[in-house]
Amino acid sequence: GIVSSRVHHPLIRSSRGLARSRLVGSETAAPPVSLATGYNHKAIETKWQRYWDENDTFKTVRREGAPKKYVLDMFPYPSGAGLHVGHPEGYTASDIMARYWRMCGYDVLHPMGWDSFGLPAEQHAVQTGTHPRDTTFKNIANFKRQLKSLGFSYDWSREIATTDEEYVKWTQWIFLQLFNKGLAQQSEVPVNWCAGLGTVLANEEVINGKSERGDFPVERLPLRQWILKITEYADKLEAGLEGLTWPEGTRVSQTQ
């Protein structure tokens, strides 16, 4: 009675709380795990993760007329330190929802990507002479390995990085549309300038007048830069909240 966008995929049982796996439609189902032998997570997780990779189990296939869901995680910044505990905490919740909707008969798009522009990569390049592309690709490979080892049901064929040229060209295209509509302009605004890092910092990156990274002095000064006139279409955005099944707290925060 379980319907999925991939009829031949296994009914997933991951190590995050469940201790058995079986293959839907298979003649031989995996036997129950013996309490005496325990759950050999290394063998079982490795086996099924390899199967999912080889069979594109979670690849999104659109079926005409089928309901659909888009389950999107916030893309992580691929730092050299790898995943921290906060990443799988949030990703586990969204993965549960993706699996649930698949089992309810929905075509689910559940992708993963990388918010890969970042100050750490730039500073590492300055300090070591290593091209940031090399560092970023290496870090992405490590993050991807770690996420796959956790058994999340991502459609890896949809993987993107914000540093990809094919992605950047569309961010530039969007900016041009805003500019042509008169919604982008240059103006002098006060910013947190850090000469040591050679860049502007967000408020949360400044601690007691110094940069969070490197502990360099930060000064507040006016800088000419591009700004977007959000207030020009704020009413339209607020009107668009009507009818959305969002938590009330989220809706209120969007109007304030």
Side-chain angles (χ1 to χ4, degrees):
I2 293 175
V3 182
S4 168
S5 57
R6 302 282 294 186
V7 252
H8 60 275
H9 84 75
L11 177 59
I12 307 305
R13 295 291 189 265
S14 178
S15 62
R16 295 186 300 280
L18 297 174
R20 65 182 61 181
S21 299
R22 69 181 179 86
L23 181 60
V24 174
S26 172
E27 295 180 358
T28 57
V33 176
S34 168
L35 293 178
T37 59
Y39 172 52
N40 187 342
H41 66 280
K42 289 185 177 180
I44 295 176
E45 294 288 334
T46 301
K47 170 186 175 181
W48 287 115
Q49 289 171 19
R50 182 184 301 115
Y51 177 91
W52 301 337
D53 265 349
E54 293 174 352
N55 292 274
D56 291 328
T57 298
F58 304 113
K59 182 178 177 64
T60 304
V61 177
R62 192 73 182 101
R63 298 169 301 164
E64 186 176 355
K68 57 186 178 180
K69 289 287 183 181
Y70 183 26
V71 182
L72 178 64
D73 283 311
M74 183 172 67
F75 293 168
Y77 170 71
S79 67
L83 291 176
H84 59 70
V85 69
H87 287 117
E89 180 182 18
Y91 295 159
T92 297
S94 57
D95 199 62
I96 289 171
M97 295 307 301
R99 293 169 185 268
Y100 169 77
W101 289 117
R102 287 193 196 99
M103 292 180 178
C104 288
Y106 283 73
D107 290 343
V108 176
L109 173 57
H110 187 34
M112 176 48 69
W114 319 103
D115 185 9
S116 42
F117 274 117
L119 186 57
E122 296 174 7
Q123 287 303 301
H124 183 77
V126 170
Q127 295 165 4
T128 66
T130 305
H131 197 291
R133 176 191 297 270
D134 299 333
T135 304
T136 300
F137 284 172
K138 179 181 178 181
N139 293 345
I140 285 176
N142 184 46
F143 263 66
K144 187 173 182 178
R145 176 189 63 79
Q146 291 178 308
L147 286 175
K148 282 192 170 186
S149 73
L150 292 169
F152 294 126
S153 61
Y154 295 125
D155 179 355
W156 286 106
S157 70
R158 307 297 185 100
E159 176 186 7
I160 61 170
T162 57
T163 45
D164 292 344
E165 292 181 5
E166 285 298 306
Y167 178 90
V168 173
K169 78 175 185 180
W170 289 112
T171 64
Q172 295 174 329
W173 180 87
I174 291 172
F175 175 81
L176 288 175
Q177 309 314 304
L178 294 170
F179 177 79
N180 292 334
K181 291 288 186 178
L183 296 173
Q185 67 180 37
Q186 285 191 331
S187 179
E188 276 199 356
V189 295
V191 299
N192 299 314
W193 171 253
C194 179
L197 294 175
T199 190
V200 172
L201 301 179
N203 291 335
E204 58 268 24
E205 295 175 305
V206 181
I207 301 176
N208 297 324
K210 293 187 176 181
S211 63
E212 181 181 27
R213 183 177 181 84
D215 206 31
F216 295 108
V218 176
E219 58 179 326
R220 192 79 170 165
L221 51 79
L223 184 69
R224 188 171 181 81
Q225 59 184 314
W226 286 101
I227 63 171
L228 301 178
K229 296 191 285 186
I230 299 175
T231 53
E232 293 291 323
Y233 49 97
D235 292 340
K236 184 177 181 180
L237 289 174
E238 185 172 355
L241 294 173
E242 291 300 322
L244 293 181
T245 56
W246 286 3
E248 187 58 29
T250 302
R251 289 169 53 87
V252 170
S253 67
Q254 292 295 310
T255 62
Q256 296 178 345

